[in-house]
Amino acid sequence: MSSALLLGTAIALVFAPPHFALAQSDADTTENDSEITEGTETAPLVIEADGEFETATSPVEGFVATQSATATKTDTPIAETPRSMSVVGTDEINARQAGTVMDALKYSAGIQPDQFGYDTRYDWFKVRGFAQQDSGLYRDGLQLRSSGYASFRQEAYGAERIELLRGPTSVMYGQNAPGGLVNVVTKRPHENMVNEVALEAGSFDHKQGAFDVGGKLIEDGSVLYRLTGLVQDSGTQTNMVDDDRIYIAPSLKWKNDDTSLTILTHYQHDKTGSANNWLPTVGTINSAPNGSIPVDVFTGEPGFEGYERIQTSVGYEFSHDFSNDVTFRQNARYAFVYVDYKTAYGSGWSDVNAGTLKRSTLRTDQNAHAITIDNQLETRFDTASVEHTLLTGVDYQHYLYDRYAAFGSASDLNVYNPTYGGSIGTLSTWYDDDITLRQLGIYAQDQIDFDEHWTLTLGGRQDWSDEKKYDNTKNGAESSKNDQAFSGQAGLVYKTSFGLVPYLSYSESFNPVASEGSQSFDPETGQQVEIGAKYEPQSFDGLITAALYDLRRQNVTTKDPVDANRKVQTGEVRSRGFELEGTIEPFAGLVAKASYSYNDAEVTKDNDGNQGKTPAGVPAHTASLWADYTLQTGTMKGFGFNGGVRYLGNQYGDASNSFQIPATTLLDAGIHYEIDGYLLALNATNLADERWVSTCSGSNACYYGQGRTIVATVKYRW
């Protein structure tokens, strides 16, 4: 790590313009990124708890965020960022009692968070039609990659804000699929924070206790602390599957006039199982002789079931202002995850008339070590009347995976009248390997303000990545693969005087492709053109965004038309569409949020017989509407209620488009009452208890979505 740190610092300094050596005096410099920059039309939101302007990592006051660094790695107004993005703060998370990161994003445009149904193990999601769970999850701006079953999952209660960035992201973050990313900004210390303790109880014997406390460790405020944690003891909508968790996240911040150091750590221990099942279309989507398969059926074996994950991390965010115009930042983290998992799951009907399901088994034991570091030098300078915010940097990732997985079979199970204790067959090794992944990237971005209206953003990045694999199924045979790629991006915004900001952007991505046998492949690439507009009302808090996009994923592997035993990278998938999202607080007590997404996805080049088809699990239309109102006066002051509706359009259940999953409309609702520091809330998800299929991976693998779930909460804040 030390060599990467030194290399990053050196390269960042080399990239800096001559103004670094001749930094202007404080009297001559432009204001830093925590202040209002000249030419910004929209005043930043004031965070009353700190008495400071909102920053990219501070709490969101209310429901409308104004600042973010996820798209640019600089503290930039969201309305002036030439990319489509959404930010969900803690107030919104709490108002809907979102239990997971994906729950928090269910009312955002462009994302499909229920990819494999109701699942307590992983965060599965697609953005703009592309699966992002392996490479699209980030914590505090640093990637948390997954490989096999060695997958991190983030706790929503530990999030200060959850940010969704749509489209290719490689210039800022390196290798990633082209759909976008989800960045969880974790809770960290700040002055005069509101402490809380909370208790929850709800459906499926759900019980949870949580706390979030912090403040000044030293009276002058130079050292701050925060401690966030929870204990959850819960069942699930699937019989015999629990969802238990211990989470604790201590953090510490030291700061003076020009330097700050924030230490962020967490420990998480999950015990759960296979809650989503694998079920056939007959009995879920289509009628079956014995009726619909029950939503709560457990298709596994109690003696061969369990998912246990332990994950930890320790990292820091360091920042130093050399002057008001030059800031160096270094973010680093070590993370570890261990997964021990065994399960039996459905693999199609054995006898549909008898109601018996065939079953397969999985046994896996995996762990991952991840070291990530990102060095940034932000320099602000002028050339004539043009203002520049130049970001240069280098980042490095080092992942070590130890993976084992084996498959087998189990005796049939009657899903209408299950009797457990069946036989478990002999397991056959699927893979047993050790993988080392490394990536080094050098990047630069310039945000150029020509005047109070026009801002041009240009960026480029060069990446080098390599993979080494030791295959224990082949007596430790070693293979290696090296890739490199250049990615670019550009964006242009025009800031009007009445809050409307049209923009145009272009962005690229790359993502390495795993070798298959003796074949080695080039990285997949992605390119997106996006045109849109953002509008901030002048008379009340709000942000309304609209975006048109055309996104291409290239170098997709497909059959070699000459040799059916080999593959070629001539495949392409196109995703284009329209997104509309708005959050408004038109007057005190009322907040409303709406979104609509149209996605026209198509396999445009393919040798597998799917050219012209729609990729599986990509609905053309999704929409949502949610609102909350709280009384501001009278004897019932502090009482409020909310409601929401979510629409998921029909989608194909396999690559050949042989069947469709019906559209679904879901209702959510809640009531809450706040008085004398206490908050009482009752929230219901899928209020009508709709039985619905979220997606399928073929005719024998369909997944039920979340049924009606009710959670009651009591919080005390001081």
Side-chain angles (χ1 to χ4, degrees):
M1 182 186 295
S2 60
S3 60
L5 186 156
L6 294 173
L7 177 62
T9 303
I11 294 177
L13 292 176
V14 169
F15 276 160
H19 258 70
F20 173 75
L22 300 173
Q24 297 170 331
S25 67
D26 290 348
D28 297 331
T29 56
T30 59
E31 295 169 317
N32 62 32
D33 59 0
S34 66
E35 300 173 324
I36 307 174
T37 55
E38 183 179 355
T40 301
E41 296 294 335
T42 305
L45 184 66
V46 175
I47 301 297
E48 296 181 357
D50 284 342
E52 299 174 353
F53 296 126
E54 181 186 335
T55 70
T57 58
S58 70
V60 178
E61 181 74 8
F63 292 77
V64 182
T66 62
Q67 300 287 124
S68 174
T70 294
T72 62
K73 290 190 177 180
T74 63
D75 208 333
T76 303
I78 296 172
E80 299 174 16
T81 301
R83 295 291 298 273
S84 177
M85 64 181 303
S86 302
V87 177
V88 178
T90 52
D91 282 354
E92 184 174 344
I93 295 172
N94 292 336
R96 292 193 277 109
Q97 288 299 298
T100 69
V101 170
M102 293 298 108
D103 286 342
L105 293 168
K106 284 181 177 178
Y107 282 88
S108 299
I111 186 170
Q112 191 178 350
D114 295 306
Q115 266 305 285
F116 290 93
Y118 176 75
D119 195 339
T120 55
R121 302 165 303 159
Y122 305 113
D123 290 318
W124 306 102
F125 66 105
K126 286 184 178 179
V127 182
R128 290 185 170 174
F130 295 106
Q132 298 294 140
Q133 60 268 4
D134 289 342
S135 57
L137 281 172
Y138 288 71
R139 185 182 181 94
D140 298 317
L142 300 176
Q143 194 175 42
L144 286 173
R145 292 181 61 86
S146 299
S147 180
Y149 293 87
S151 177
F152 296 88
R153 194 179 199 195
Q154 305 195 60
E155 169 55 49
Y157 187 74
E160 195 76 82
R161 45 171 71 199
I162 299 170
E163 307 198 351
L164 168 63
L165 175 62
R166 305 174 185 92
T169 60
S170 285
V171 169
M172 289 290 99
Y173 296 100
Q175 53 186 294
N176 202 350
L181 63 83
V182 171
N183 180 35
V184 176
V185 179
T186 56
K187 291 178 177 177
R188 71 267 321 278
H190 59 85
E191 293 183 26
N192 305 318
M193 65 171 284
V194 177
N195 302 296
E196 72 173 31
V197 292
L199 295 175
E200 287 184 3
S203 301
F204 316 116
D205 200 26
H206 171 80
K207 299 178 289 294
Q208 178 179 293
F211 60 88
D212 184 20
V213 296
K216 297 178 181 179
L217 200 59
I218 297 179
E219 187 59 33
D220 64 3
S222 61
V223 180
L224 307 171
Y225 79 96
R226 190 165 187 170
L227 183 63
T228 307
L230 66 79
V231 176
Q232 176 179 287
D233 180 2
S234 180
T236 67
Q237 70 182 37
T238 303
N239 293 332
M240 302 186 186
V241 176
D242 292 332
D243 185 17
D244 302 337
R245 171 170 293 180
I246 297 173
Y247 173 84
I248 187 165
S251 56
L252 192 69
K253 181 176 182 178
W254 169 81
K255 63 177 182 178
N256 61 21
D257 291 340
D258 53 23
T259 305
S260 70
L261 175 66
T262 303
I263 298 174
L264 300 168
T265 69
H266 93 283
Y267 169 85
Q268 184 173 312
H269 187 183
D270 300 331
K271 287 187 176 182
T272 182
S274 299
N276 62 337
N277 292 312
W278 291 47
L279 303 172
T281 54
V282 176
T284 55
I285 296 173
N286 303 318
S287 60
N290 297 294
S292 298
I293 299 174
V295 173
D296 62 359
V297 67
F298 173 59
T299 61
E301 275 294 332
F304 191 81
E305 175 65 31
Y307 181 97
E308 183 173 9
R309 172 176 44 222
I310 296 174
Q311 67 180 50
T312 61
S313 72
V314 57
Y316 63 84
E317 296 177 346
F318 173 79
S319 176
H320 177 71
D321 294 329
F322 291 101
S323 71
N324 281 351
D325 289 325
V326 181
T327 300
F328 174 73
R329 292 188 291 268
Q330 185 178 82
N331 304 331
R333 182 180 62 225
Y334 165 77
F336 169 79
V337 62
Y338 165 77
V339 171
D340 185 7
Y341 181 34
K342 57 184 178 182
T343 189
Y345 58 94
S347 53
W349 285 114
S350 175
D351 186 338
V352 66
N353 293 310
T356 53
L357 194 69
K358 292 185 292 186
R359 293 188 297 173
S360 299
T361 57
L362 166 69
R363 179 72 176 89
T364 185
D365 185 347
Q366 307 196 8
N367 65 73
H369 302 261
I371 298 172
T372 50
I373 185 169
D374 186 12
N375 304 277
Q376 307 166 17
L377 186 68
E378 182 178 327
T379 310
R380 296 163 293 278
F381 62 96
D382 298 342
T383 55
S385 61
V386 178
E387 300 178 358
H388 297 260
T389 301
L390 178 63
L391 181 74
T392 56
V394 58
D395 58 24
Y396 175 74
Q397 300 186 51
H398 192 132
Y399 283 83
L400 300 173
Y401 297 104
D402 182 356
R403 314 185 314 165
Y404 166 78
F407 281 111
S409 61
S411 57
D412 297 347
L413 180 75
N414 189 313
V415 295
Y416 300 100
N417 185 24
T419 301
Y420 301 102
S423 61
I424 301 294
T426 303
L427 296 172
S428 298
T429 300
W430 177 23
Y431 55 76
D432 183 2
D433 53 33
D434 298 291
I435 298 176
T436 301
L437 299 177
R438 293 180 294 185
Q439 175 189 298
L440 176 66
I442 301 173
Y443 59 91
Q445 172 188 264
D446 195 4
Q447 295 169 278
I448 307 166
D449 291 315
F450 292 97
D451 53 31
E452 69 271 18
H453 297 298
W454 292 98
T455 298
L456 174 66
T457 301
L458 299 173
R461 177 189 184 99
Q462 179 65 41
D463 275 290
W464 298 267
S465 67
D466 65 72
E467 172 187 319
K468 290 185 178 180
K469 182 177 179 180
Y470 299 88
D471 194 335
N472 298 318
T473 66
K474 299 179 180 178
N475 298 318
E478 180 180 342
S479 61
S480 62
K481 182 176 182 293
N482 298 285
D483 292 306
Q484 58 177 298
F486 178 82
S487 307
Q489 68 178 24
L492 181 67
V493 302
Y494 180 78
K495 294 163 282 187
T496 68
S497 59
F498 54 90
L500 180 66
V501 184
Y503 70 89
L504 173 67
S505 67
Y506 171 79
S507 54
E508 297 179 336
S509 69
F510 87 100
N511 202 26
V513 179
S515 302
E516 293 189 20
S518 61
Q519 282 194 274
S520 183
F521 301 106
D522 294 330
E524 288 185 348
T525 57
Q527 303 87 31
Q528 175 183 270
V529 176
E530 179 176 300
I531 183 171
K534 304 182 183 184
Y535 176 64
E536 286 186 311
Q538 301 297 288
S539 58
F540 56 85
D541 290 335
L543 179 64
I544 300 170
T545 64
L548 283 165
Y549 63 90
D550 187 294
L551 174 58
R552 309 288 174 120
R553 175 186 170 203
Q554 298 171 327
N555 284 354
V556 179
T557 57
T558 182
K559 282 183 183 178
D560 187 333
V562 177
D563 184 351
N565 295 319
R566 295 178 61 83
K567 291 187 176 182
V568 291
Q569 290 186 276
T570 57
E572 181 186 73
V573 181
R574 183 210 66 210
S575 174
R576 63 187 179 192
F578 170 74
E579 293 163 350
L580 180 65
E581 180 175 303
T583 304
I584 59 171
E585 297 182 64
F587 53 84
L590 178 64
V591 59
K593 182 170 187 173
S595 71
Y596 169 73
S597 303
Y598 170 70
N599 184 249
D600 176 19
E602 181 182 345
V603 178
T604 52
K605 295 180 181 179
D606 181 72
N607 299 327
D608 298 331
N610 297 321
Q611 186 165 331
K613 304 289 180 64
T614 300
V618 182
H621 303 276
T622 60
S624 65
L625 175 64
W626 181 85
D628 182 283
Y629 179 66
T630 302
L631 297 173
Q632 302 295 297
T633 59
T635 58
M636 292 299 290
K637 177 182 178 181
F639 175 78
F641 50 90
N642 57 60
V645 57
R646 292 176 279 134
Y647 173 78
L648 177 67
N650 54 33
Q651 56 186 292
Y652 288 107
D654 61 0
S656 62
N657 294 179
S658 65
F659 69 96
Q660 279 194 322
I661 303 166
T664 302
T665 300
L666 304 171
L667 303 176
D668 304 322
I671 57 174
H672 51 88
Y673 184 47
E674 188 166 6
I675 183 171
D676 297 333
Y678 287 93
L679 173 66
L680 310 176
L682 184 68
N683 289 80
T685 301
N686 189 0
L687 182 63
D689 201 19
E690 183 79 12
R691 186 182 67 86
W692 62 292
V693 172
S694 68
T695 191
C696 296
S697 304
S699 60
N700 289 323
C702 293
Y703 315 98
Y704 280 131
Q706 185 177 10
R708 180 167 55 217
T709 305
I710 299 174
V711 176
T713 305
V714 178
K715 288 185 180 181
Y716 177 67
R717 295 169 171 165
W718 72 96

